[in-house]
């Protein structure tokens, strides 16, 4: 089996990223997020996330 090592470049983690299923708060579509969905926070699919970006830039 061929395994692709290229997952975007930069951050490389050991093992696959754990994905959690969630329902988009906007369109209702089922999506997967790389974090545990917080019931107090809306979760958006990739399409809707474009329209609901946080107003302040992300910090690391
Ligand atoms: Zn959506």
């Amino acid at each position: 089996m061929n395994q692709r090592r290229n997952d975007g470049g930069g951050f490389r983690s050991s093992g696959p990223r754990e994905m959690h299923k969630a329902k988009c708060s906007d369109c209702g579509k089922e999506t997967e997020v790389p974090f545990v969905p917080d019931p107090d926070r809306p979760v958006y699919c990739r399409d809707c996330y474009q329209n609901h970006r946080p107003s302040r830039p992300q910090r690391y």
Side-chain angles (χ1 to χ4, degrees), residues 1-58:
M1 203 184 277
N2 273 341
Q3 278 201 333
R4 286 195 176 185
R5 287 283 173 106
N6 185 6
D7 53 15
F11 187 74
R12 190 177 293 176
S13 62
S14 60
R17 198 169 293 177
E18 195 175 350
M19 300 297 285
H20 302 266
K21 287 194 176 181
K23 202 172 181 183
C24 176
S25 296
D26 200 343
C27 69
K29 193 167 68 177
E30 197 171 81
T31 185
E32 288 187 337
V33 291
F35 53 87
V36 180
D38 190 333
D40 291 334
R41 286 183 168 192
V43 176
Y44 301 111
C45 67
R46 289 190 183 186
D47 290 340
C48 296
Y49 185 74
Q50 307 290 327
N51 305 325
H52 295 270
R53 286 188 181 178
S55 53
R56 59 179 183 180
Q58 281 188 334

